[in-house]
Amino acid sequence: MSRALRFAPLAILLVLISGLVWRLATPADTTIGSKLDGKPIPAFNLPAALPTKPTLNSADLATGQPRLVNIFASWCVPCIAEVKVLQQLKARGVHIDGIAVRDRPDDVANFLAERGNPYERIGSDTQSQVQISLGSSGVPESFVVDGKGIIRYQHIGPITDDEVPMILAKLELAK
Amino acid sequence: MIAEAGLAALWLAAGLAAFQFILMIGALRSEVGLVRPMRSVAVVQGVLTIIAFAMLLLVFATTDLSVALVYENSHSAKPFIYKVAGTWGNHEGSMLLWVTILAAAGAWLAIFSKRTSERTLVAALGSQATLALGFYAFLLIASNPFARLNPAAPEGQGLNPLLQDPGLAFHPPTLYVGYVGLSIAFSLAVGALLTNQVDNKLAQAMRPWVLGAWIFLTLGITAGSYWAYYELGWGGWWFWDPVENASLMPWLAATALLHSINVLAARGALKAWTMMLAVIAFSMSMVGTFLVRSGVLTSVHAFAIDPERGTFLLALLAIYVGAAFILFALRGAMLKEGAPFELVSRETGLVINNLLLSVILVIVFVGTLYPLFVEALSGEKLSVGAPYFNSVAGPLALILAVLVGIGPLLAWRRDKRPLFKQLTIPALLGVTALVITFIVVPSMAILPRLGLMVATYLAGAAILPLIGRNPLRAPLATWGMVVAHFGIAVSLCGMAMNAAFTEERLGIARPGDRLNVGPWTVEFADVTPTAGKNWTALEGKLRATRGQGLVILKPQTRFYSDPPTTTNEAAIETFWNGQLYTVIGKSDENGGWQLRLWWKPFVTLIWAGGALIALGGALALAGRLWRLRRRRRQAEDWRQERYA
């Protein structure tokens, strides 16, 4: 066996060890970035979730102002906690639209009557089709959409109190 | 007191291992024969470690909640068998099991080794103790299994429900015996390299260990595959998950070693290669242990990442494997190759076998670690999944399976007989199978189609070594080889059948609804709540029929309270020609339930083949040990006659 060949296992081991040392030093970041970041929001046209509120379509999201699109449902427990935070955002002048997923008008009405309504428009996505086209896998999720209808940020899970400044910063960036 | 006794035993064992290291250095630097003290210390060290493990078993069996490990991983309401199995269902306990097997294997070698030269044995036992020393240090410094909890907790936190399964009681210990059994091959190789005594005697001494470890690895992987199949409820039997790969890599290396060691034992050739494989096989076990225990790779086996422990294990890995490879690089040049052989010979066959197994090993190794290196170099995140492994390793495995039929027919050194004549019938069988697949299922994918062809051919070719002689007079080792090779054909057939003919049905069903899958009509009867010792469940009742007869299946969705977890318990019914696999999921608001049904023709052949492969190994091992004993007897008889 030639000299080079005899040292080959050692060389491979060194490469392996350096890779593993690197991994131990920089723990894996498990966040998954949205595939739709920087892409225009997919075209959709949803009927109103409440008779008293306007419908929601993709054109409504390209109004020159950044908007927050919140995907929620009356049957979703974390959404209850999130409504308060959305109210805060609304008070700070954020335009928020909602997409109610797999919901019934009466339930949405009760949900909002009990906890307040942060939404300007609410679309009813009874078959989750818009939700899926947005690459959202659950409720609640929120999207920051800029004035041209381009998605700038996808937030998975409820927005918490601590995250309000971050969301405001994302909206500022989207201007 | 029990926990303290265990800890004390562990410290004493560590001290003895350090003493063995010094003995080894002393023996290597002088001509003094230190084999007697070395043997005794190795035995005592092994016994102490077994005592430590027994103590840990005891605190788990009695649910002693003043021990932190018990509090974190056990619960008084758990069935007794899972209390015991919980001993190794956690990081500290499983590392203690690891080192226990390591030390016990060393003790066994110390007691029973008769064939190795004394100097090599001293070096090998020293090497084994040095391995153990690192892991003692790891346990005592970074993961003490006996740490107390003061005050004692009123109740334990429970064990991950996925692990509360009979599979857990056997799967990890079996794999560990396999992993760690390879440590003896490693130590013997290191010992022989240190003393420059790499010869066929060494290979003969190493062979039973490799064979034994390999049998356990085969069983462990087969059992693990079946466990994942029925417990995870995904219907798959192999996921190319990093942790699965971690067990497959040592197996591939051990399989190559198992074959090359025969060349060294019989012909004195392939010395350097065999020594390197012996080192690599155990190194792969350590890499596997590191990957599993450090959590550096994302996997379904979600173990917590602990940087301190990871660093410690990585340092041990670097020191031991690095030292062995340096030794190999320095001493490899002095290894004189044995008898030469010609192109068409059993030696060549085994070399090709080794090359193919090594290439598959490299493919799995690269695929498992590729995401890590890509991220290190470019920051890009990706994952390597089944498509890569199947399409790259699959064809090579098929080529290997074809050669498995040919290799055993070759004679040592050179073969001038017309080989292909013997293979006519197996080849015809394979072609017939291929033609049948084209007629019956024209649309089958290429890999399963070739798999069925090769499996049929190999089923015939594997038994050829028994043809043309009296099978009852064939050596047990030959029988072992035939059974193991036939097992490959059986397993391959199961894999191909499963890939080609599995039918899947996902649906929402309300009580009274019927779903069809394959030849089956499954009626969803009802859902009833039910309870076990530490879980409650919703149990579906399915009435399945194919024409005649009725089978009732009861898949469950289980809710465990400590820790709160939901699991799907698949209901599987086995028939001679396949398995009906059913899972019940969530309910929707309209009273419908998600049902997942699979009909998997001949899927059981996969594990039956695995069991046959292990059985073949066991036959070969029995044959080897039997022959060794007989030879020793004959030698004694001869001596007695001479001095009578």
PDB file of all heavy atoms in Angstrom, chain A residues 1 6-7 9-10 12-13 15-17 19-24 29 31, chain B residues 276 290 296 310 314 322 325-326 329 332-333 369 372-373 375-376 381:
ATOM      1  N   MET A   1       0.841  -1.192   0.000  1.00  0.00           N
ATOM      2  CA  MET A   1       0.000   0.000   0.000  1.00  0.00           C
ATOM      3  C   MET A   1       0.882   1.250   0.000  1.00  0.00           C
ATOM      4  O   MET A   1       1.823   1.331   0.793  1.00  0.00           O
ATOM      5  CB  MET A   1      -0.888  -0.012   1.246  1.00  0.00           C
ATOM      6  CG  MET A   1      -2.296   0.446   0.951  1.00  0.00           C
ATOM      7  SD  MET A   1      -3.248   0.451   2.476  1.00  0.00           S
ATOM      8  CE  MET A   1      -4.559  -0.666   2.065  1.00  0.00           C
ATOM      9  N   ARG A   6      -1.985   5.105   2.658  1.00  0.00           N
ATOM     10  CA  ARG A   6      -2.006   4.756   4.072  1.00  0.00           C
ATOM     11  C   ARG A   6      -2.434   5.942   4.935  1.00  0.00           C
ATOM     12  O   ARG A   6      -2.989   5.767   6.003  1.00  0.00           O
ATOM     13  CB  ARG A   6      -0.627   4.243   4.508  1.00  0.00           C
ATOM     14  CG  ARG A   6      -0.449   2.761   4.186  1.00  0.00           C
ATOM     15  CD  ARG A   6       0.860   2.231   4.693  1.00  0.00           C
ATOM     16  NE  ARG A   6       1.972   2.647   3.851  1.00  0.00           N
ATOM     17  CZ  ARG A   6       2.995   3.375   4.283  1.00  0.00           C
ATOM     18  NH1 ARG A   6       3.022   3.793   5.531  1.00  0.00           N
ATOM     19  NH2 ARG A   6       3.958   3.704   3.467  1.00  0.00           N
ATOM     20  N   PHE A   7      -2.137   7.145   4.444  1.00  0.00           N
ATOM     21  CA  PHE A   7      -2.518   8.328   5.225  1.00  0.00           C
ATOM     22  C   PHE A   7      -3.925   8.830   4.865  1.00  0.00           C
ATOM     23  O   PHE A   7      -4.440   9.725   5.527  1.00  0.00           O
ATOM     24  CB  PHE A   7      -1.484   9.447   5.044  1.00  0.00           C
ATOM     25  CG  PHE A   7      -0.277   9.271   5.924  1.00  0.00           C
ATOM     26  CD1 PHE A   7       0.844   8.606   5.474  1.00  0.00           C
ATOM     27  CD2 PHE A   7      -0.294   9.748   7.235  1.00  0.00           C
ATOM     28  CE1 PHE A   7       1.940   8.418   6.301  1.00  0.00           C
ATOM     29  CE2 PHE A   7       0.809   9.567   8.060  1.00  0.00           C
ATOM     30  CZ  PHE A   7       1.933   8.898   7.589  1.00  0.00           C
ATOM     31  N   PRO A   9      -6.993   7.507   5.237  1.00  0.00           N
ATOM     32  CA  PRO A   9      -8.028   7.471   6.284  1.00  0.00           C
ATOM     33  C   PRO A   9      -7.856   8.600   7.294  1.00  0.00           C
ATOM     34  O   PRO A   9      -8.834   9.209   7.741  1.00  0.00           O
ATOM     35  CB  PRO A   9      -7.819   6.113   6.960  1.00  0.00           C
ATOM     36  CG  PRO A   9      -7.065   5.296   5.988  1.00  0.00           C
ATOM     37  CD  PRO A   9      -6.254   6.236   5.153  1.00  0.00           C
ATOM     38  N   LEU A  10      -6.593   8.892   7.622  1.00  0.00           N
ATOM     39  CA  LEU A  10      -6.314   9.953   8.593  1.00  0.00           C
ATOM     40  C   LEU A  10      -6.787  11.301   8.059  1.00  0.00           C
ATOM     41  O   LEU A  10      -7.402  12.093   8.778  1.00  0.00           O
ATOM     42  CB  LEU A  10      -4.811   9.979   8.880  1.00  0.00           C
ATOM     43  CG  LEU A  10      -4.377  10.776  10.101  1.00  0.00           C
ATOM     44  CD1 LEU A  10      -4.981  10.180  11.359  1.00  0.00           C
ATOM     45  CD2 LEU A  10      -2.861  10.784  10.206  1.00  0.00           C
ATOM     46  N   ILE A  12      -9.137  11.852   5.825  1.00  0.00           N
ATOM     47  CA  ILE A  12     -10.604  11.894   5.824  1.00  0.00           C
ATOM     48  C   ILE A  12     -11.119  12.163   7.233  1.00  0.00           C
ATOM     49  O   ILE A  12     -12.030  12.960   7.447  1.00  0.00           O
ATOM     50  CB  ILE A  12     -11.180  10.571   5.271  1.00  0.00           C
ATOM     51  CG1 ILE A  12     -10.780  10.417   3.809  1.00  0.00           C
ATOM     52  CG2 ILE A  12     -12.689  10.518   5.416  1.00  0.00           C
ATOM     53  CD1 ILE A  12     -11.081   9.063   3.221  1.00  0.00           C
ATOM     54  N   LEU A  13     -10.478  11.511   8.207  1.00  0.00           N
ATOM     55  CA  LEU A  13     -10.891  11.714   9.595  1.00  0.00           C
ATOM     56  C   LEU A  13     -10.758  13.190   9.987  1.00  0.00           C
ATOM     57  O   LEU A  13     -11.644  13.756  10.622  1.00  0.00           O
ATOM     58  CB  LEU A  13     -10.054  10.845  10.534  1.00  0.00           C
ATOM     59  CG  LEU A  13     -10.369  11.028  12.025  1.00  0.00           C
ATOM     60  CD1 LEU A  13     -11.707  10.411  12.371  1.00  0.00           C
ATOM     61  CD2 LEU A  13      -9.285  10.435  12.904  1.00  0.00           C
ATOM     62  N   VAL A  15     -10.860  15.836   8.086  1.00  0.00           N
ATOM     63  CA  VAL A  15     -11.930  16.625   7.457  1.00  0.00           C
ATOM     64  C   VAL A  15     -13.238  16.443   8.238  1.00  0.00           C
ATOM     65  O   VAL A  15     -13.937  17.412   8.563  1.00  0.00           O
ATOM     66  CB  VAL A  15     -12.122  16.191   5.983  1.00  0.00           C
ATOM     67  CG1 VAL A  15     -13.321  16.903   5.375  1.00  0.00           C
ATOM     68  CG2 VAL A  15     -10.862  16.480   5.191  1.00  0.00           C
ATOM     69  N   LEU A  16     -13.524  15.174   8.565  1.00  0.00           N
ATOM     70  CA  LEU A  16     -14.758  14.879   9.309  1.00  0.00           C
ATOM     71  C   LEU A  16     -14.773  15.606  10.651  1.00  0.00           C
ATOM     72  O   LEU A  16     -15.754  16.264  11.013  1.00  0.00           O
ATOM     73  CB  LEU A  16     -14.860  13.360   9.533  1.00  0.00           C
ATOM     74  CG  LEU A  16     -16.019  12.908  10.432  1.00  0.00           C
ATOM     75  CD1 LEU A  16     -17.348  13.145   9.747  1.00  0.00           C
ATOM     76  CD2 LEU A  16     -15.882  11.444  10.807  1.00  0.00           C
ATOM     77  N   ILE A  17     -13.657  15.506  11.371  1.00  0.00           N
ATOM     78  CA  ILE A  17     -13.597  16.126  12.700  1.00  0.00           C
ATOM     79  C   ILE A  17     -13.772  17.642  12.579  1.00  0.00           C
ATOM     80  O   ILE A  17     -14.511  18.256  13.362  1.00  0.00           O
ATOM     81  CB  ILE A  17     -12.256  15.794  13.387  1.00  0.00           C
ATOM     82  CG1 ILE A  17     -12.112  14.290  13.587  1.00  0.00           C
ATOM     83  CG2 ILE A  17     -12.111  16.547  14.702  1.00  0.00           C
ATOM     84  CD1 ILE A  17     -12.845  13.700  14.737  1.00  0.00           C
ATOM     85  N   GLY A  19     -15.364  19.305  10.331  1.00  0.00           N
ATOM     86  CA  GLY A  19     -16.775  19.581  10.056  1.00  0.00           C
ATOM     87  C   GLY A  19     -17.621  19.484  11.314  1.00  0.00           C
ATOM     88  O   GLY A  19     -18.475  20.335  11.579  1.00  0.00           O
ATOM     89  N   LEU A  20     -17.352  18.448  12.111  1.00  0.00           N
ATOM     90  CA  LEU A  20     -18.159  18.249  13.316  1.00  0.00           C
ATOM     91  C   LEU A  20     -17.850  19.313  14.364  1.00  0.00           C
ATOM     92  O   LEU A  20     -18.749  19.765  15.086  1.00  0.00           O
ATOM     93  CB  LEU A  20     -17.931  16.841  13.869  1.00  0.00           C
ATOM     94  CG  LEU A  20     -18.457  15.716  12.967  1.00  0.00           C
ATOM     95  CD1 LEU A  20     -18.060  14.347  13.496  1.00  0.00           C
ATOM     96  CD2 LEU A  20     -19.967  15.789  12.827  1.00  0.00           C
ATOM     97  N   VAL A  21     -16.577  19.725  14.442  1.00  0.00           N
ATOM     98  CA  VAL A  21     -16.219  20.797  15.374  1.00  0.00           C
ATOM     99  C   VAL A  21     -16.975  22.071  14.997  1.00  0.00           C
ATOM    100  O   VAL A  21     -17.538  22.761  15.847  1.00  0.00           O
ATOM    101  CB  VAL A  21     -14.697  21.042  15.361  1.00  0.00           C
ATOM    102  CG1 VAL A  21     -14.356  22.364  16.043  1.00  0.00           C
ATOM    103  CG2 VAL A  21     -13.969  19.899  16.054  1.00  0.00           C
ATOM    104  N   TRP A  22     -16.998  22.340  13.680  1.00  0.00           N
ATOM    105  CA  TRP A  22     -17.722  23.526  13.216  1.00  0.00           C
ATOM    106  C   TRP A  22     -19.187  23.466  13.626  1.00  0.00           C
ATOM    107  O   TRP A  22     -19.775  24.429  14.103  1.00  0.00           O
ATOM    108  CB  TRP A  22     -17.599  23.648  11.696  1.00  0.00           C
ATOM    109  CG  TRP A  22     -18.491  24.710  11.148  1.00  0.00           C
ATOM    110  CD1 TRP A  22     -18.262  26.048  11.112  1.00  0.00           C
ATOM    111  CD2 TRP A  22     -19.799  24.512  10.593  1.00  0.00           C
ATOM    112  NE1 TRP A  22     -19.330  26.697  10.580  1.00  0.00           N
ATOM    113  CE2 TRP A  22     -20.293  25.780  10.253  1.00  0.00           C
ATOM    114  CE3 TRP A  22     -20.600  23.391  10.365  1.00  0.00           C
ATOM    115  CZ2 TRP A  22     -21.546  25.962   9.679  1.00  0.00           C
ATOM    116  CZ3 TRP A  22     -21.843  23.562   9.809  1.00  0.00           C
ATOM    117  CH2 TRP A  22     -22.312  24.847   9.462  1.00  0.00           C
ATOM    118  N   ARG A  23     -19.783  22.274  13.464  1.00  0.00           N
ATOM    119  CA  ARG A  23     -21.206  22.148  13.789  1.00  0.00           C
ATOM    120  C   ARG A  23     -21.461  22.330  15.284  1.00  0.00           C
ATOM    121  O   ARG A  23     -22.427  22.971  15.682  1.00  0.00           O
ATOM    122  CB  ARG A  23     -21.717  20.772  13.312  1.00  0.00           C
ATOM    123  CG  ARG A  23     -23.087  20.384  13.810  1.00  0.00           C
ATOM    124  CD  ARG A  23     -24.128  21.471  13.646  1.00  0.00           C
ATOM    125  NE  ARG A  23     -24.740  21.498  12.347  1.00  0.00           N
ATOM    126  CZ  ARG A  23     -25.095  22.617  11.718  1.00  0.00           C
ATOM    127  NH1 ARG A  23     -24.884  23.784  12.263  1.00  0.00           N
ATOM    128  NH2 ARG A  23     -25.651  22.564  10.535  1.00  0.00           N
ATOM    129  N   LEU A  24     -20.551  21.801  16.100  1.00  0.00           N
ATOM    130  CA  LEU A  24     -20.731  21.959  17.539  1.00  0.00           C
ATOM    131  C   LEU A  24     -20.570  23.420  17.944  1.00  0.00           C
ATOM    132  O   LEU A  24     -21.225  23.903  18.861  1.00  0.00           O
ATOM    133  CB  LEU A  24     -19.719  21.098  18.301  1.00  0.00           C
ATOM    134  CG  LEU A  24     -20.028  19.611  18.366  1.00  0.00           C
ATOM    135  CD1 LEU A  24     -18.903  18.862  19.040  1.00  0.00           C
ATOM    136  CD2 LEU A  24     -21.325  19.348  19.107  1.00  0.00           C
ATOM    137  N   ASP A  29     -29.275  26.343  12.965  1.00  0.00           N
ATOM    138  CA  ASP A  29     -30.390  27.274  13.000  1.00  0.00           C
ATOM    139  C   ASP A  29     -31.556  26.582  12.308  1.00  0.00           C
ATOM    140  O   ASP A  29     -31.483  26.264  11.129  1.00  0.00           O
ATOM    141  CB  ASP A  29     -29.981  28.556  12.268  1.00  0.00           C
ATOM    142  CG  ASP A  29     -31.135  29.520  12.146  1.00  0.00           C
ATOM    143  OD1 ASP A  29     -32.133  29.327  12.852  1.00  0.00           O
ATOM    144  OD2 ASP A  29     -31.023  30.463  11.343  1.00  0.00           O
ATOM    145  N   THR A  31     -34.643  27.678  11.848  1.00  0.00           N
ATOM    146  CA  THR A  31     -35.713  28.472  11.249  1.00  0.00           C
ATOM    147  C   THR A  31     -35.725  28.255   9.733  1.00  0.00           C
ATOM    148  O   THR A  31     -34.686  28.116   9.103  1.00  0.00           O
ATOM    149  CB  THR A  31     -35.523  29.971  11.528  1.00  0.00           C
ATOM    150  OG1 THR A  31     -34.187  30.313  11.153  1.00  0.00           O
ATOM    151  CG2 THR A  31     -35.751  30.296  12.982  1.00  0.00           C
TER     152      THR A  31
ATOM    153  N   MET B 276      -7.138  -2.127   8.164  1.00  0.00           N
ATOM    154  CA  MET B 276      -7.801  -0.837   8.027  1.00  0.00           C
ATOM    155  C   MET B 276      -9.309  -0.988   8.233  1.00  0.00           C
ATOM    156  O   MET B 276      -9.942  -0.180   8.918  1.00  0.00           O
ATOM    157  CB  MET B 276      -7.519  -0.241   6.655  1.00  0.00           C
ATOM    158  CG  MET B 276      -8.027   1.175   6.525  1.00  0.00           C
ATOM    159  SD  MET B 276      -7.530   1.920   4.990  1.00  0.00           S
ATOM    160  CE  MET B 276      -8.778   1.304   3.896  1.00  0.00           C
ATOM    161  N   PHE B 290     -21.537   9.028  18.176  1.00  0.00           N
ATOM    162  CA  PHE B 290     -21.401  10.483  18.298  1.00  0.00           C
ATOM    163  C   PHE B 290     -22.567  11.188  17.613  1.00  0.00           C
ATOM    164  O   PHE B 290     -23.178  12.088  18.183  1.00  0.00           O
ATOM    165  CB  PHE B 290     -20.074  10.943  17.693  1.00  0.00           C
ATOM    166  CG  PHE B 290     -19.985  12.440  17.591  1.00  0.00           C
ATOM    167  CD1 PHE B 290     -19.696  13.197  18.708  1.00  0.00           C
ATOM    168  CD2 PHE B 290     -20.247  13.081  16.397  1.00  0.00           C
ATOM    169  CE1 PHE B 290     -19.654  14.573  18.630  1.00  0.00           C
ATOM    170  CE2 PHE B 290     -20.204  14.455  16.311  1.00  0.00           C
ATOM    171  CZ  PHE B 290     -19.913  15.211  17.432  1.00  0.00           C
ATOM    172  N   VAL B 296     -25.993  16.337  16.419  1.00  0.00           N
ATOM    173  CA  VAL B 296     -25.555  17.341  15.448  1.00  0.00           C
ATOM    174  C   VAL B 296     -26.322  17.257  14.134  1.00  0.00           C
ATOM    175  O   VAL B 296     -26.362  18.207  13.385  1.00  0.00           O
ATOM    176  CB  VAL B 296     -24.048  17.255  15.120  1.00  0.00           C
ATOM    177  CG1 VAL B 296     -23.210  17.608  16.316  1.00  0.00           C
ATOM    178  CG2 VAL B 296     -23.673  15.906  14.576  1.00  0.00           C
ATOM    179  N   GLY B 310     -21.192  16.750  23.479  1.00  0.00           N
ATOM    180  CA  GLY B 310     -20.778  16.567  22.082  1.00  0.00           C
ATOM    181  C   GLY B 310     -19.289  16.762  21.934  1.00  0.00           C
ATOM    182  O   GLY B 310     -18.606  15.965  21.286  1.00  0.00           O
ATOM    183  N   LEU B 314     -16.605  13.972  20.813  1.00  0.00           N
ATOM    184  CA  LEU B 314     -15.842  14.231  19.595  1.00  0.00           C
ATOM    185  C   LEU B 314     -14.343  14.134  19.878  1.00  0.00           C
ATOM    186  O   LEU B 314     -13.578  13.597  19.066  1.00  0.00           O
ATOM    187  CB  LEU B 314     -16.195  15.615  19.036  1.00  0.00           C
ATOM    188  CG  LEU B 314     -15.618  15.926  17.664  1.00  0.00           C
ATOM    189  CD1 LEU B 314     -16.075  14.906  16.639  1.00  0.00           C
ATOM    190  CD2 LEU B 314     -16.019  17.318  17.216  1.00  0.00           C
ATOM    191  N   GLY B 322      -8.037   8.721  15.460  1.00  0.00           N
ATOM    192  CA  GLY B 322      -6.821   9.359  14.960  1.00  0.00           C
ATOM    193  C   GLY B 322      -5.594   8.530  15.292  1.00  0.00           C
ATOM    194  O   GLY B 322      -4.760   8.263  14.428  1.00  0.00           O
ATOM    195  N   PHE B 325      -5.468   5.406  13.176  1.00  0.00           N
ATOM    196  CA  PHE B 325      -5.119   5.659  11.773  1.00  0.00           C
ATOM    197  C   PHE B 325      -3.646   6.048  11.632  1.00  0.00           C
ATOM    198  O   PHE B 325      -2.993   5.686  10.649  1.00  0.00           O
ATOM    199  CB  PHE B 325      -6.020   6.750  11.184  1.00  0.00           C
ATOM    200  CG  PHE B 325      -7.372   6.239  10.769  1.00  0.00           C
ATOM    201  CD1 PHE B 325      -8.456   7.104  10.641  1.00  0.00           C
ATOM    202  CD2 PHE B 325      -7.578   4.899  10.494  1.00  0.00           C
ATOM    203  CE1 PHE B 325      -9.703   6.642  10.245  1.00  0.00           C
ATOM    204  CE2 PHE B 325      -8.822   4.426  10.111  1.00  0.00           C
ATOM    205  CZ  PHE B 325      -9.896   5.303   9.986  1.00  0.00           C
ATOM    206  N   ILE B 326      -3.123   6.799  12.607  1.00  0.00           N
ATOM    207  CA  ILE B 326      -1.697   7.140  12.560  1.00  0.00           C
ATOM    208  C   ILE B 326      -0.869   5.855  12.658  1.00  0.00           C
ATOM    209  O   ILE B 326       0.065   5.629  11.881  1.00  0.00           O
ATOM    210  CB  ILE B 326      -1.331   8.110  13.708  1.00  0.00           C
ATOM    211  CG1 ILE B 326      -1.946   9.491  13.422  1.00  0.00           C
ATOM    212  CG2 ILE B 326       0.182   8.230  13.858  1.00  0.00           C
ATOM    213  CD1 ILE B 326      -1.825  10.471  14.569  1.00  0.00           C
ATOM    214  N   ALA B 329      -1.008   4.128   9.424  1.00  0.00           N
ATOM    215  CA  ALA B 329      -0.205   4.771   8.387  1.00  0.00           C
ATOM    216  C   ALA B 329       1.276   4.471   8.590  1.00  0.00           C
ATOM    217  O   ALA B 329       2.019   4.269   7.619  1.00  0.00           O
ATOM    218  CB  ALA B 329      -0.461   6.283   8.406  1.00  0.00           C
ATOM    219  N   GLY B 332       1.628   0.280   8.427  1.00  0.00           N
ATOM    220  CA  GLY B 332       1.073  -0.386   7.246  1.00  0.00           C
ATOM    221  C   GLY B 332       2.148  -0.788   6.249  1.00  0.00           C
ATOM    222  O   GLY B 332       2.044  -1.813   5.580  1.00  0.00           O
ATOM    223  N   ALA B 333       3.227   0.041   6.170  1.00  0.00           N
ATOM    224  CA  ALA B 333       4.282  -0.231   5.199  1.00  0.00           C
ATOM    225  C   ALA B 333       5.001  -1.540   5.497  1.00  0.00           C
ATOM    226  O   ALA B 333       5.533  -2.186   4.599  1.00  0.00           O
ATOM    227  CB  ALA B 333       5.276   0.919   5.196  1.00  0.00           C
ATOM    228  N   LEU B 369     -23.465  13.061   5.738  1.00  0.00           N
ATOM    229  CA  LEU B 369     -22.746  14.239   6.238  1.00  0.00           C
ATOM    230  C   LEU B 369     -22.726  15.401   5.255  1.00  0.00           C
ATOM    231  O   LEU B 369     -22.312  16.499   5.599  1.00  0.00           O
ATOM    232  CB  LEU B 369     -21.314  13.841   6.615  1.00  0.00           C
ATOM    233  CG  LEU B 369     -21.278  12.931   7.846  1.00  0.00           C
ATOM    234  CD1 LEU B 369     -19.998  12.152   7.930  1.00  0.00           C
ATOM    235  CD2 LEU B 369     -21.482  13.732   9.120  1.00  0.00           C
ATOM    236  N   LEU B 372     -24.188  18.776   6.299  1.00  0.00           N
ATOM    237  CA  LEU B 372     -23.339  19.458   7.273  1.00  0.00           C
ATOM    238  C   LEU B 372     -22.222  20.223   6.570  1.00  0.00           C
ATOM    239  O   LEU B 372     -21.959  21.390   6.866  1.00  0.00           O
ATOM    240  CB  LEU B 372     -22.751  18.403   8.211  1.00  0.00           C
ATOM    241  CG  LEU B 372     -21.778  18.896   9.261  1.00  0.00           C
ATOM    242  CD1 LEU B 372     -22.542  19.331  10.480  1.00  0.00           C
ATOM    243  CD2 LEU B 372     -20.807  17.805   9.640  1.00  0.00           C
ATOM    244  N   PHE B 373     -21.562  19.583   5.592  1.00  0.00           N
ATOM    245  CA  PHE B 373     -20.419  20.222   4.943  1.00  0.00           C
ATOM    246  C   PHE B 373     -20.855  21.338   4.001  1.00  0.00           C
ATOM    247  O   PHE B 373     -20.187  22.365   3.910  1.00  0.00           O
ATOM    248  CB  PHE B 373     -19.565  19.176   4.228  1.00  0.00           C
ATOM    249  CG  PHE B 373     -18.713  18.410   5.187  1.00  0.00           C
ATOM    250  CD1 PHE B 373     -19.121  17.182   5.676  1.00  0.00           C
ATOM    251  CD2 PHE B 373     -17.528  18.950   5.670  1.00  0.00           C
ATOM    252  CE1 PHE B 373     -18.357  16.495   6.606  1.00  0.00           C
ATOM    253  CE2 PHE B 373     -16.757  18.279   6.597  1.00  0.00           C
ATOM    254  CZ  PHE B 373     -17.169  17.042   7.067  1.00  0.00           C
ATOM    255  N   GLU B 375     -23.395  23.221   4.463  1.00  0.00           N
ATOM    256  CA  GLU B 375     -23.721  24.374   5.284  1.00  0.00           C
ATOM    257  C   GLU B 375     -22.460  25.026   5.833  1.00  0.00           C
ATOM    258  O   GLU B 375     -22.363  26.252   5.928  1.00  0.00           O
ATOM    259  CB  GLU B 375     -24.670  23.970   6.420  1.00  0.00           C
ATOM    260  CG  GLU B 375     -25.446  25.163   6.948  1.00  0.00           C
ATOM    261  CD  GLU B 375     -26.230  24.840   8.201  1.00  0.00           C
ATOM    262  OE1 GLU B 375     -26.686  23.703   8.330  1.00  0.00           O
ATOM    263  OE2 GLU B 375     -26.375  25.745   9.039  1.00  0.00           O
ATOM    264  N   ALA B 376     -21.464  24.208   6.174  1.00  0.00           N
ATOM    265  CA  ALA B 376     -20.215  24.763   6.707  1.00  0.00           C
ATOM    266  C   ALA B 376     -19.512  25.610   5.649  1.00  0.00           C
ATOM    267  O   ALA B 376     -18.930  26.643   5.951  1.00  0.00           O
ATOM    268  CB  ALA B 376     -19.300  23.638   7.168  1.00  0.00           C
ATOM    269  N   LYS B 381     -28.605  25.548   3.271  1.00  0.00           N
ATOM    270  CA  LYS B 381     -29.167  24.417   3.996  1.00  0.00           C
ATOM    271  C   LYS B 381     -29.851  23.477   3.025  1.00  0.00           C
ATOM    272  O   LYS B 381     -30.613  23.909   2.176  1.00  0.00           O
ATOM    273  CB  LYS B 381     -30.183  24.903   5.018  1.00  0.00           C
ATOM    274  CG  LYS B 381     -29.530  25.359   6.280  1.00  0.00           C
ATOM    275  CD  LYS B 381     -30.571  25.851   7.246  1.00  0.00           C
ATOM    276  CE  LYS B 381     -29.993  26.991   8.022  1.00  0.00           C
ATOM    277  NZ  LYS B 381     -30.992  27.854   8.572  1.00  0.00           N
TER     278      LYS B 381
END
